[in-house]
Amino acid sequence: MAEQASLESPVWNRPLPDDPELAAQVREIREKHLLQDARPPREVAEKVLGPMARLGRVFWLALIVLGGLTATWLATWAYQAYQGMGVTGLNRTIMWAPYIVNFVYFIGIGHAGTFISAALRVLKFEWRAPISRAAESLTVFALLVAFTMPLIHMGRVWKFYWMLPFPNQRQLWPNPRSPIFWDMTAIFTYLTCSMLFMYLGILPDIAIAREKASGWRKRLYTVLALGWRGTDREWKHLDTTLNIFSYGIIPVMFSVHTVVSWDFAMTLQPGWNSSIFGPYFVVGALYSGVGAVIIIMAILRKALHLEYFLREEHFNAMGKFLLILSFTWVYFYFNDYLLPWYHKEPILTVIFRLFTSGWAAPLWFTMLIANILIPWATLWSRKVRSSIPALVGVALLVQVGMYIERYLIVAVTLGYPELPFDWAVYVPRLPEILITLGVFAFVVLGITVLSRLVPIIPIWEVVEGQLLQGTRRIGRAIFPAKTEAD
Amino acid sequence: MFSSLWWRVGRFVRTSPARLFLLAGVVVAGALALSGSAAPAGTTQPIAFNHQVMVQAGVQCLFCHNDALRSPSPGMPSVELCMGCHKTIGAGRPAIKQLADYYARGEPIPWARVNYVPRFVYFSHKVHLTAGGLNCENCHGDVGHMKVVEPVARMSMGWCLDCHSKQTNAPQLRDCVICHR
Amino acid sequence: MTEKISRRDFLRLGAAGAATGVLAGCTSPRRWVVLEPFVRPPEQQVSGVATWFATTCRQCPAGCGVIVRLMNGRAVKLEGNPEHPLNRGKLCARGQAGLQMLYHPDRLSGPLLQSTRGSREFSAIDWNEGINRLFQALAKAGPAVAMLGGATMSDHLFDLFSKLLAAVDAPPPVIYDLYTELGGYRTLAQAMGQVYGRAALPAYRLAEADVVFSFGAEFLGTWTSAVRYGVEYGAFRSQPYGKRGLLVHFEPRQSSTAVTADDYVAIAPGSEGLVAGALLRLIADGNLGLAGRAESARGLAPSLDVEQAARECGIPLEALQRLARRFADAEHAVAIPGGALAGSSNGMHAARAIEALNVVSGNAPAGVNTTPPDLGLARKSLNTFADVQSLIARMRAGEVQMLLIHSTNPAYELPEAAGFLEALAQVPLVVSFGAMVDETAVWSDLILPDRSYLESFGYEVVSPDFGSPVVSSQQPVVTPVFDARTTGDVLLTVARGIPAAAAAMPWDDEVDYLNQMVAGLPEAAYPASTAEEKRARFQQHGGWWPAPAVAAPTLRPQPFTVTAERATFDGNETDYPYFLHVYPSVLLSDGRGASLPLLQGVPDPMTTIAWQSWVELHPATAERLEIRDGDLLRVTSPHGEIVAAAYVTPGIRPDTVAIPAGQGHQDLGRFARDRGSNVVQLLGAALTDEGGGLRWNGVRVALARTGKRIATASLESKVGVTEGLGYE
Amino acid sequence: MSELETRLLDRGQSAAAAPKTELPSHKWTMLIDLDKCTGCNACVVACHVENNVPIRSEREVIRGHGQHWIRIERYWEGEGDAQRATFLPMLCQQCSNAPCEPVCPVYASVHSERENLNLQVYNRCVGTRFCGNNCPYRARQFNWFAPQFEGPITEMLNPDVTVRSGGVMEKCTFCVQRIRRVEEDALVEGRPLRDGEMVPACAQTCPTSAIVFGDRSDPQSQVAQRLGGQREFQVLEHLGTAPNVYYLKAGGSDGGAG
């Protein structure tokens, strides 16, 4: 009978079963699962668009602070470009460090977004619906930042275009053998795909916003909506395109961080030239990425009052996700260190000793605690996973841990080349620190601003999901279930 | 003429906005392509020196630029060398008077460089004139008919490569060290 | 006047030449370059093609021949003169850096007057006034004039100074500087005089040697003719039929010579003579070696107890015996007395004892037992520290009205105890000829800057010459960069005003003088018929030397005795627990190199430290005093104290600390000023037992942490090179 | 070079139909006899002067920005008081299989097949420093700041060598400017190069002649003659970089060749 009812009456006012016990079950299901807890589309839209338009004092404060930091970043960059790379703490042995660490880290962050929305879309995990866009926006801004890093790192940034293939009278081209060239290609592709993927997803929501908004927002949305009318044909196209993207973007994503890892794995530097770096970096990236998404989710939920959309179930799922990735990452990490520890390749042994008992030990152990001990100790418990503050805490720790891990790989390992005469230690100086702070600020700033410009929760996906959700009764129990769409 | 050009461009874009990107791309690529080379603009010389007159008077290039055969640089004639002839020849003319003044003051003449290559480019006149078997005019044009010498070619890397790829007896400019040290 | 102008053209043309370009390498090109050709080009000037001129290196007294590469009239590279029989085309680090002496930004342009000494407030005057003041003072002072010169002064200049002083009945110039003192030039020469009858610097041929015992002789770094010894050493290492000599080095600290030696023995400071004596004793008593060696050893060996000697020197007796056998058995064995021993109280004894080893092995050094042909050229004769002390005494007594100082820097180089500056206060007029404001110039009234050696004429009778006499010629290779004037001409100008001097110095300028001197030279290795050609070739080839003679030095030792004297040290063992080992820095030598960035910025071979000065400590010492690299230590001797950064190294005896000379300038240009500390301040003014040398190798010191710390400017990774890959 | 690169480089030169005249090729090789190296630093200073290598201030050296194309690496051998220092002159090894070349995105670090040298094209360098990281000898020097030559010192700059600006990687070139000079002279005189005609600044000044330089492809050259002795080794041979700088171990004879 329930099915019948669902087909006649709209999902948002399906009657509760008369049997109070069953009714209780249904209520429980509805409050637990967003997609079960259907509301009229208008209301759903309002829940998203309402807070979006209300710019409170906190928002402006954040805008000023983050904007300030971003400005500092650009100013410091200008100073560094004018003075020379010497203003950084780099030296004749460690020629890469701060910016490449950030580069790797942000590429990593950039992974999660697309992974969550594309992969989970492919796998038809409906619960991802409210998360996906926040994740994608994270991807886009992280990638933007990551892309500037190699430029900031260059000695003569004003010649950066020599790294791009363009016809010139010198008859010179970039070197296809250089991992940097692969990097550029991979990241460009990934960035473009991610942006398009995100933009396509936003289209219908912008159209909705266009209907609701007024003033400059109206004008803005009218342009951005590209005249979306929501005809069946448009929907059909959108669906197919998004599917194509979802399938296409996953291999790209894997390739990107593998290529990034090749920047190191392809060198002769002991501790870098390891064949496991590809998958190891990819997993590391996802690990830190998912963590970052959790943090962003929490922030948005608080800032935009999205309690209705982002529920315990989502954080719980992300928590599990984080735990699994933690396991995988540990597997690769110890693969990478078990071997040197066993075969005692001299330089690697020195580095290993440095991590375990040398000056780098505090960093190394902090990383182990943040990346392994805490997640493993906590994430198995549903209580932690579903308590947002706890989960965010863990996610933050994971960020710290993963940043340190990249730092150890790039800035510390590089200090130990083959000839002991050249060993060195890298100590950051103010410019790197300012720039690093600045880029972090920029990512947050970007998302903050974006979340106020476009619906950060994909309204149409949520509604669509809710339409397709129903309940099925088996005996005395009621379970959430997909209704056969006809 | 330009207005019509603008109109064409305008129409080209209007017909399909997407073409705007194409256009922008072309412009950028072109700009970048040109960016590598230094295009010398005209300048005034301290003395209105006239190569045409000298050449028609039968003075060979190597008479004044007399290091060209034995040195990477062709050498600029010393004021003394100029005066060698111009003590008598055309001593009355204003330009020659200027020259004489420089000589009397013992001051060098601040000639402005006409044919420019960047300082990280090492070009050897000696090799090109002897082993290469070129003549001055191959690169510097028909100076004999120039009242004021202007560069006939933008001496950019592409120009070097182009010539070396066309001349059969010129070596391939494969390794950068041939010009860049 | 052409000079001045054409010089500017040189610069302009240089600055404009397509190949040059300061910082233009990769920055966006300047579109418009002004080309300024010569007004009157110098002969054989081809723009863009290098011209080479031969001259003499003046970075140390050795007198190596160099050739200078000129591009568009600018000196861009120094190389050894391949023709020159002394250095044979080779050059050392200091020689290579010579160009910065020429192009140093802090060189003086024109004479300076200092109203109050030490104020560093100079007022520029023009040359006429400067020379005039010199003349007036000279005329007034009469015989109460003194001259203090350095060993790097050109011989012709020395001659002119001597003639001038003689003309006014003043005592002859005193030639003394720290470099020759640290090299033990004077002491060793005297020892040679006692052993072989001719007091000259010894020159040891290593090319064919089987065994070389070096007693603290840093002959591959700084000692006498280091470049030539480098050449010799190269040959020594690759002799015909794969023969490779054995080099044994005795020194308390691992110098770069010790590093290259096959066998290095860290002996107690000041025990070189004792080692030599013990070796003699062992050869004599053990009847060691080839025929006749033991006999001659018996004649010379001092009476000493070998066990005890071995203990004192810090060598196990077996090792000593092994070494004695090696030396005695070697066909061609050479013992080299170094500069270090000359600084210790028993210097002369040690030198004799070591030379006795050569007598035993029958290998006399070159140049000490053959009287060279008289070239008719004046040459410097070095003075001892005792002579300097008597000069100082005269100054203090007010017997010196006017002091001339050229190419030496006593205010920096003499220990405080010598009381030079106090004595200087008694001298009414002090004239410095320094090209830069050095510590001494600061205490002088008048500065008449001399030209750098690449801008001026001169010659150097090479010493030590390795067998055959060599005269290196010096000529200007570029038109002067600064408005400095050659002291030679200054002196000749002044002399005109003084009748006696005018008679003694009839030349109208120094070139005239040189030409007449050169004209008197016997036939050279290169053909030269007329006098003009002779002069031309003299400059062109970079000097005069006879066709190579194969006459091997014959051994004609005088009767002399070897005694085993112990070295004495200032300061008792309890208050001053460590021996102080002073050594000339390979790069900065005695400090004259400190003004050149090229020598300051290049890392020292043993410590890889640049721009700084340091105290070398044994790890045990460091552990006892809890000292880490870079800790600023207060080094105290009975005579003074300095503060210097610690450098812990296994390359030194636990009972010794080593400090290089050369840093710690207050003046001498922007690159030398206020870096490190001057080790000379730790030394006393005591003399050695014999020969009147400064006893600079006879001081004990105490170390104390100041609690402050500096970052060591070293190139090496200390962790890397000490712990390395950590295989145990 | 890979086929693809060759095609990329050939683009535009495809116009050349007729066979091109190729300049003569060489195998420039350096031999360093550690038995003769006395660590006197003459080579270092000579290199600085010849190649306009800037001297960095004390502050820079402390910050690890010391810049020398050739340096004397001093190691310690043995234990305790028996420890003895050893010198290892370290410069660009001009690897035939250079790790720095493939990683450069703009061909600033590029191999010259003809000279068998490892070129660094300063004016092409964008300063990614990838090459510097990938050089196991750390022979590449980066200009952390634009070099400063004070006052008249600018006048002793060698006009044959580009003065590198800030943000550019540089390294030992085997004094390629000298190589080119003698090559150009030989080309003009239409003769092959003579052995010993080309000597880099370090080898020229080395008092003990520990450094020997020449063209390995000429069997009569001193280098070719001396290669293959028992003492011969290459630094970090096992990495397969195939350096063109050979070292002779210190101590012990190698049958006259040392």
Side-chain angles (χ1 to χ4, degrees), chain C residues 543-629:
Chain C
W544 171 95
W545 47 85
V550 285
T554 55
L555 189 62
R556 286 190 276 92
Q558 318 286 315
F560 71 100
T561 57
V562 178
T563 48
E565 293 290 330
R566 303 325 195 241
T568 57
F569 290 85
D570 301 347
N572 59 7
E573 190 156 356
T574 47
D575 304 346
Y576 302 101
Y578 304 104
F579 295 106
L580 173 66
H581 178 81
V582 183
Y583 64 96
S585 155
V586 175
L587 292 157
L588 310 180
S589 69
D590 64 339
R592 72 192 66 211
S595 60
L596 310 184
L598 269 172
L599 296 178
Q600 284 274 15
V602 166
D604 169 81
M606 290 308 295
T607 61
T608 76
I609 296 177
W611 292 104
Q612 299 176 337
S613 68
W614 59 88
V615 189
E616 289 172 37
L617 312 167
H618 189 274
T621 316
E623 202 173 328
R624 195 174 325 111
L625 303 176
E626 293 167 346
I627 294 170
R628 290 175 305 159
D629 278 356

Side-chain angles (χ1 to χ4, degrees), chain C residues 282-337:
Chain C
L282 285 167
I283 295 174
D285 302 352
N287 240 327
L288 303 177
L290 306 175
R293 296 239 166 133
E295 288 69 47
S296 52
R298 267 185 221 100
L300 292 163
S303 57
L304 52 73
D305 167 17
V306 181
E307 283 88 4
Q308 194 203 350
R311 226 175 299 111
E312 286 180 41
C313 311
I315 314 176
L317 185 57
E318 308 68 47
L320 208 54
Q321 281 158 338
R322 199 186 76 249
L323 290 171
R325 187 164 289 105
R326 280 307 292 267
F327 191 87
D329 290 343
E331 175 62 37
H332 194 307
V334 178
I336 309 180

Side-chain angles (χ1 to χ4, degrees), chain A residues 86 90 95-96 156 175 178 268, chain D residues 63 65 103 105 125 133-134:
Chain A
L90 295 166
M95 300 197 188
W96 281 7
R156 297 202 298 160
N175 181 356
S178 169
L268 284 177
Chain D
R63 284 173 55 178
H65 298 167
V103 295
C125 177
N133 273 356
N134 209 11

Side-chain angles (χ1 to χ4, degrees), chain A residues 399-442:
Chain A
Q399 301 311 304
V400 174
M402 287 311 290
Y403 195 89
I404 293 178
E405 186 243 14
R406 272 68 181 264
Y407 187 88
L408 288 175
I409 289 178
V410 179
V412 176
T413 306
L414 184 54
Y416 296 82
E418 298 275 358
L419 293 174
F421 188 88
D422 306 324
W423 289 357
V425 173
Y426 163 75
V427 185
R429 295 171 70 87
L430 192 58
E432 299 101 290
I433 296 168
L434 287 180
I435 287 181
T436 308
L437 282 178
V439 292
F440 272 96
F442 175 76

Side-chain angles (χ1 to χ4, degrees), chain A residues 1-312:
Chain A
M1 320 318 149
E3 292 75 35
Q4 286 307 319
S6 75
L7 289 180
E8 288 139 19
S9 61
V11 286
W12 52 86
N13 49 27
R14 285 193 188 124
L16 289 172
D18 315 335
D19 180 336
E21 182 193 348
L22 296 183
Q25 286 188 22
V26 172
R27 244 185 256 99
E28 193 193 340
I29 289 172
R30 286 190 181 170
E31 87 181 57
K32 195 179 281 169
H33 303 297
L34 166 66
L35 300 186
Q36 291 293 336
D37 186 10
R39 294 270 198 288
R42 186 172 306 280
E43 191 185 334
V44 174
E46 177 47 39
K47 282 183 184 296
V48 180
L49 300 177
M52 197 173 95
R54 284 191 291 278
L55 308 177
R57 197 190 290 102
V58 184
F59 169 78
W60 290 115
L61 195 68
L63 204 62
I64 290 162
V65 173
L66 297 172
L69 285 171
T70 313
T72 330
W73 159 35
L74 296 174
T76 318
W77 184 5
Y79 168 78
Q80 176 189 287
Y82 178 74
Q83 289 287 326
M85 283 306 292
V87 299
T88 63
L90 295 166
N91 54 47
R92 70 178 186 88
T93 305
I94 304 177
M95 300 197 188
W96 281 7
Y99 307 130
I100 302 302
V101 174
N102 292 346
F103 173 70
V104 180
Y105 174 77
F106 280 109
I107 294 275
I109 298 293
H111 268 55
T114 325
F115 181 81
I116 287 167
S117 55
L120 299 193
R121 180 190 184 84
V122 169
L123 300 173
K124 301 231 180 322
F125 285 146
E126 269 78 10
W127 59 265
R128 79 181 151 79
I131 305 173
S132 52
R133 187 159 304 150
E136 287 159 16
S137 57
L138 179 63
T139 300
V140 168
F141 287 106
L143 282 182
L144 280 175
V145 163
F147 205 79
T148 59
M149 279 304 153
L151 300 184
I152 299 177
H153 158 95
M154 277 168 65
R156 297 202 298 160
V157 62
W158 50 93
K159 301 282 188 199
F160 78 96
Y161 59 87
W162 283 349
M163 297 197 287
L164 311 173
F166 64 89
N168 57 34
Q169 49 85 16
R170 303 183 199 85
Q171 302 172 6
L172 286 174
W173 295 88
N175 181 356
R177 284 192 302 171
S178 169
I180 291 184
F181 186 69
W182 312 337
D183 264 353
M184 308 258 297
T185 325
I187 298 168
F188 248 136
T189 323
Y190 189 47
L191 185 58
T192 328
C193 296
S194 306
M195 282 176 146
L196 285 172
F197 188 55
M198 181 176 176
Y199 189 56
L200 284 170
I202 297 177
L203 271 179
D205 289 346
I206 292 196
I208 299 170
R210 178 187 55 194
E211 307 311 324
K212 301 258 182 297
S214 62
W216 65 269
R217 279 181 183 274
K218 181 118 189 148
R219 261 178 266 115
L220 177 69
Y221 296 142
T222 323
V223 176
L224 290 181
L226 301 177
W228 172 271
R229 298 192 308 287
T231 61
D232 293 357
R233 193 154 149 283
E234 283 173 348
W235 277 112
K236 215 166 140 302
H237 285 316
L238 184 66
D239 244 23
T240 27
T241 329
L242 285 179
N243 280 331
I244 294 169
F245 263 108
S246 313
Y247 281 101
I249 219 165
I250 291 168
V252 175
M253 172 196 72
F254 275 95
S255 79
V256 170
H257 219 65
T258 314
V259 166
V260 168
S261 79
W262 285 348
D263 286 348
F264 308 96
M266 296 273 176
T267 65
L268 284 177
Q269 172 63 40
W272 280 11
N273 50 9
S274 143
S275 54
I276 205 172
F277 257 36
Y280 164 41
F281 268 48
V282 171
V283 172
L286 290 174
Y287 188 30
S288 56
V290 169
V293 172
I294 292 176
I295 297 166
I296 295 294
M297 276 164 62
I299 296 173
L300 289 174
R301 185 171 188 271
K302 191 105 196 68
L304 292 167
H305 314 293
L306 301 175
E307 292 78 6
Y308 168 73
F309 297 99
L310 301 172
R311 308 190 176 202
E312 179 191 322

